[in-house]
């Protein structure tokens, strides 16, 4: 209490200190005192009211406890009176035992009398029931059977009540009614037979199916009643519970399974399309049966059976089991596709489980997949493995066939635009198209996977295609007379590369869900360009093999005296390009440009090989004019062949060199050479040395002065995009001598 008082005082001091923090608050001390007095009076009033309420509650509780104590004493007195009366009545109950036995005996005799007629007529009823079962009068047969079973069960029950341990009497009753169980089994067989043929029965005679369901329902009620009585008395008749309803569903399930399993009429050995036929028969059977269930069979069963959904599940489970069995077989690639297409697409489509007549009764989206995802993945992996093996073989055969065409003595076919081509791209992409169409039937992801696989195989195939093109060229070089249509088929090979590009892009647009590039795009593009460019190079090599002797005449004494080498070169190139016009864009343009470049390079090489040295100004003038004329010939030729923008620039190199040769005043030679260097910055010192050597009148000091001055004022040509002299090597003195001797020997042979 002292501690509480101290805490109260401390709290009061703190509150007073809080209220009197400023001097002006002292005027309100009396006001604060009255307010606190009111609060104190209010708190004391609430405390008094609470204590009074607690006292009233205690007083009421004591009154109720006193009343309860009086009631307990009254009950105790009443229980003592009941116990006394019960002890006095024990003797009376023991004296009534004889009456009880008499009542039981009377009840048994009454049951015997009641069933006496049935007992004596058991053999007759058994015969009638057997006849009714044979006549398929199932309802009447079942009524007779129930009478027999009722008589037997009542007798057994009374015997059980009188003496449950008397097995001899029980056996006697069982022997007397032993035919009843046989009738029950026989009737059950008839019921199961009707249920097994329920799809046919419901169409022909639905009343028969209704009778079967009514019989099963009756037996189900009797089973429930007998089970309930067993719980009370411990007695249940023999053969109970029959559980015919449970058996009915088992029979229906077996019937559905048998119907699905019986759809396979042929095997792979007899018909390659066996699986397609099997799946189509299954689809038709399932759809027809479920429509019959919806329209007819549902009316033959009680509503609480939920008949349609039950059959829907039964058929789904049966089909799932059958499909799983099919997956365990050694399926071929086309069979895997047929099965997966049917499972993933056809099964839930409007052609089968999603049919308009069925979808109103059930939700197909609630169905579990026919095949687990891992099984589907295994099948897809097996298909991809087989497909990879097959397509590798197909591509190999297609290339072998195309190679045989390369050896033909007739030109390859041309497309509608006149470009040479072979059937290889069409064959390859027809194979791809067919397989992608098949993959698209399964699902989009698998289609994408097959497309990537096709592109990957395409890249491998193109590498092989390139190797075969190189082998084709090497074989031709061993004997240039064979094959006769080498040039035309090499053009077709080049054109095939462009066709491959277009076909690949078409496949991607048609079958790819993503617009982004794949891992195979860059390698395929690179390989196709390499094949095409190498093919163009092979053709140009073929041209320049024919031009070799004529190119060797350039810038020789024979050339200076009136050779027709350039005329022959132009005619030969133009003749070849009549065939090269059958090359598709852009390779035809690239090839024309490359041909011009090589002609000019070979011409300038002839200058740099110093096959001739001009002896006087007249020879220099004549040689320069011939060079300018021949440069114009090349310009005219390649403009005619539509070589492009490089024509003037490349041919201008020959003209610029001719200007160096044509100059009559040696003192201006430096300016002319500087002009040449400014136009073609990639020209090197050795090139200028060779040009001055061919000119023949430049002294050693002049050559050194020109070279030195140019070296001091050398302009960097690192940023120049076009070059020509970098590909031209200047031979040494020994090589020049050998080249000259070779040219002279060639001239003699030609003469």
């Amino acid at each position: 209490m002292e501690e509480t008082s101290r805490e109260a005082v401390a709290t009061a001091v703190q509150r007073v200190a809080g209220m009197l923090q400023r001097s002006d608050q002292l005027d309100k001390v009396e006001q604060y005192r009255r307010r606190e007095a009111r609060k104190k009076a209010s708190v004391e009033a609430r405390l008094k009211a609470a204590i009074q309420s607690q006292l009233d509650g205690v007083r009421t509780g004591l009154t109720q406890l006193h009343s309860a104590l009086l009631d307990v004493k009254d009950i105790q007195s009443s229980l003592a009176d009941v116990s006394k009366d019960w002890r006095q009545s024990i003797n009376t109950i023991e004296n009534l035992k004889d009456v009880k036995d008499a009542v039981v005996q009377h009840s048994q005799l009454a049951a015997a009398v009641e069933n006496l007629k049935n007992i004596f007529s058991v053999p007759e009823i058994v015969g009638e029931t057997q006849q009714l079962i044979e006549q398929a009068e199932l309802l009447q047969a079942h009524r007779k059977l129930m009478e027999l079973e009722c008589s037997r069960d009542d007798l057994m029950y009374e015997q059980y009540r009188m003496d449950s341990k008397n097995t001899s009497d029980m056996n006697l009753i069982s022997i007397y009614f032993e035919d009843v169980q046989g009738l029950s089994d026989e009737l059950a067989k008839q019921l199961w037979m009707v249920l097994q043929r329920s799809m046919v029965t419901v169409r022909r005679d639905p009343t028969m199916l209704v009778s079967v369901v009514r019989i099963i329902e009756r037996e189900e009620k009797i089973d429930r009643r007998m089970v309930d009585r067993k719980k009370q008395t411990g007695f249940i008749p023999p053969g109970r519970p029959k559980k015919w309803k449970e058996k009915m569903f088992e029979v229906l399930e077996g019937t559905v399974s048998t119907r699905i399993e019986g759809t396979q009429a042929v095997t792979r050995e007899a018909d390659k399309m066996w699986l397609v036929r099997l799946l189509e028969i299954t689809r038709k059977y399932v759809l027809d049966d479920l429509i019959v269930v919806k329209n007819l069979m549902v009316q033959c069963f009680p509503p609480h059976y939920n008949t349609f959904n039950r059959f829907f599940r039964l058929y789904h489970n049966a089909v799932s089991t059958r499909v799983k069995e099919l997956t365990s077989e050694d399926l071929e690639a086309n069979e895997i596709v047929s099965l997966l297409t049917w499972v993933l697409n056809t099964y839930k489509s409007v052609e089968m489980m999603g049919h308009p007549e069925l979808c109103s009764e059930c939700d197909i989206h609630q169905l579990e997949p026919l095949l687990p995802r891992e099984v589907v993945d295994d099948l897809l992996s097996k298909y991809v493995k087989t497909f990879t093996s097959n397509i590798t073989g197909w591509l190999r055969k297609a290339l072998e066939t195309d190679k045989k065409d390369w050896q033909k003595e007739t030109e390859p076919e041309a497309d509608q635009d006149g470009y040479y081509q072979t059937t290889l791209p069409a064959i390859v992409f027809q194979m791809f198209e067919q397989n992608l169409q098949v993959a698209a039937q399964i699902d989009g992801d698998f289609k994408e996977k097959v497309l990537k696989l096709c592109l990957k195989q395409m890249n491998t195939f193109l590498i092989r295609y390139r190797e075969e093109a190189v082998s084709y060229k090497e074989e031709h070089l061993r004997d240039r007379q064979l094959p006769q249509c080498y040039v035309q088929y090499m053009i077709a090979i080049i054109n095939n590369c462009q066709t491959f590009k277009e076909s690949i892009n078409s496949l991607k647009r048609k079958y790819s869900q993503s617009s982004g590039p794949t891992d195979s795009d860059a390698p395929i593009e690179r390989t196709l360009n390499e094949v095409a460019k190498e093919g163009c190079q092979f053709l140009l090599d073929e041209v320049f093999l024919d031009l070799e002797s004529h190119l060797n005449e350039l810038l020789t004494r024979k050339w200076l005296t009136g050779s027709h080498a350039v005329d022959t070169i132009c005619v030969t190139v133009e003749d070849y390009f009549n065939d090269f016009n059958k090359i598709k864009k852009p390779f035809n343009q690239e090839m024309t440009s490359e041909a011009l470049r090589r002609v000019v390079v070979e011409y300038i090489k002839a200058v740099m090989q110093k096959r001739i040295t001009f002896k006087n100004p007249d020879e220099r003038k004549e040689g320069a004019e011939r060079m300018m004329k021949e440069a114009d010939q090349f310009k005219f030729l390649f403009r005619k062949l539509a070589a492009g923008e490089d024509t003037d620039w490349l041919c201008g190199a020959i003209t610029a060199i001719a200007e160096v040769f044509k100059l009559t005043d040696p003192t201006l030679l430096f300016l002319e050479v500087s002009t040449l260097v400014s136009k073609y910055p990639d020209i090197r010192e050795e090139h200028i040395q060779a040009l001055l050597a061919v000119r023949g009148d430049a002294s050693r000091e002049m050559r050194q002065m020109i070279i030195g001055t140019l070296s001091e004022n050398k302009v960097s040509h690192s940023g120049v995009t076009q070059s020509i002299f970098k590909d031209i090597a200047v031979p040494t003195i020994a090589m020049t001598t050998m080249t000259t001797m070779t040219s002279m020997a060639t001239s003699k042979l030609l003469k």
Side-chain angles (χ1 to χ4, degrees), residues 165-427:
K165 297 181 180 180
N166 189 351
T167 57
S168 60
D169 290 345
M170 282 289 192
N171 292 335
L172 181 63
I173 298 173
S174 297
I175 293 171
Y176 187 76
F177 285 93
E178 63 181 353
D179 293 336
V180 175
Q181 186 61 42
L183 288 175
S184 178
D185 295 340
E186 186 66 25
L187 178 61
K189 289 180 182 179
Q190 293 296 320
L191 299 181
W192 311 148
M193 190 179 300
V194 172
L195 289 172
Q196 288 169 354
R197 302 178 68 251
S198 56
M199 288 297 168
V200 178
T201 304
V202 78
R203 290 183 176 98
R204 296 179 179 177
D205 185 10
T207 57
M208 176 68 74
L209 185 60
V210 173
S211 299
V212 170
V213 176
R214 288 178 61 188
I215 292 170
I216 292 172
E217 279 293 294
R218 289 176 185 172
E219 289 293 337
E220 190 70 12
K221 291 179 181 178
I222 296 173
D223 278 350
R224 287 197 295 269
R225 189 170 66 247
M226 293 303 172
V227 170
D228 291 341
R229 188 169 69 177
K230 180 184 179 183
K231 293 178 181 178
Q232 298 175 0
T233 65
F235 172 77
I236 190 166
R240 293 288 179 184
K242 293 184 179 180
K243 298 183 179 180
W244 279 7
K245 183 177 180 180
E246 183 178 326
K247 177 65 175 177
M248 174 183 69
F249 292 133
E250 292 177 2
V251 172
L252 290 175
E253 183 176 358
T255 301
V256 171
S257 299
T258 302
R259 188 159 176 78
I260 299 301
E261 292 172 359
T263 54
Q264 184 170 347
V266 293
T267 60
R268 182 186 293 117
E269 291 73 18
D271 186 355
K272 292 183 178 180
M273 301 297 291
W274 68 276
L275 184 59
V276 175
R277 295 182 185 278
L278 184 150
L279 295 174
E280 176 57 22
I281 293 172
T282 302
R283 183 198 68 79
K284 189 175 184 304
Y285 278 12
V286 171
L287 180 60
D288 291 347
D289 288 357
L290 288 176
I291 290 176
V292 169
V293 171
K294 176 180 177 291
N295 296 328
L296 298 176
M297 194 171 291
V298 168
Q299 303 171 15
C300 300
F301 289 83
H304 66 272
Y305 275 33
N306 203 6
T307 305
F308 181 80
N309 285 331
R310 186 180 294 274
F311 271 92
F312 197 80
R313 293 287 177 182
L314 288 178
Y315 274 96
H316 174 75
N317 294 336
V319 171
S320 178
T321 301
R322 182 64 178 129
V323 168
K324 289 175 182 176
E325 292 174 356
L326 290 173
T327 59
S328 63
E329 298 186 14
D330 188 17
L331 296 177
E332 298 177 355
N334 61 324
E335 294 171 349
I336 291 174
V337 171
S338 298
L339 181 61
L340 290 179
T341 302
W342 192 88
V343 168
L344 299 177
N345 299 322
T346 304
Y347 182 70
K348 290 188 178 181
S349 70
V350 295
E351 297 178 1
M352 196 170 176
M353 305 303 267
H355 193 276
E357 288 198 45
L358 305 181
C359 61
S360 60
E361 297 293 330
C362 60
D363 184 5
I364 59 173
H365 301 293
Q366 299 297 325
L367 290 175
E368 296 180 357
L370 283 178
L371 290 176
R373 189 67 228 180
E374 56 269 18
V375 176
V376 174
D377 292 340
D378 288 344
L379 287 175
L380 291 177
S381 299
K382 183 178 178 182
Y383 172 80
V384 168
K385 183 178 179 181
T386 306
F387 168 71
T388 304
S389 176
N390 289 343
I391 204 168
T392 302
W394 293 336
L395 292 173
R396 186 184 302 111
K397 291 179 181 177
L399 184 54
E400 291 297 327
T401 303
D402 205 55
K403 282 171 56 182
K404 291 179 182 178
D405 291 342
W406 298 351
Q407 306 298 327
K408 289 182 178 180
E409 297 179 358
T410 57
E411 294 182 355
E413 296 180 356
D415 62 12
Q416 65 272 18
D417 297 321
Y419 297 118
Y420 286 139
Q421 64 179 5
T422 67
T423 58
L424 181 63
I427 293 173

Side-chain angles (χ1 to χ4, degrees), residues 447-457 518 520:
K447 176 188 66 177
E448 196 80 24
K449 184 176 182 180
V450 172
L451 175 60
K452 291 180 179 178
L453 180 60
C454 289
L455 294 178
K456 183 179 179 181
Q457 290 296 316
T518 65
S520 302

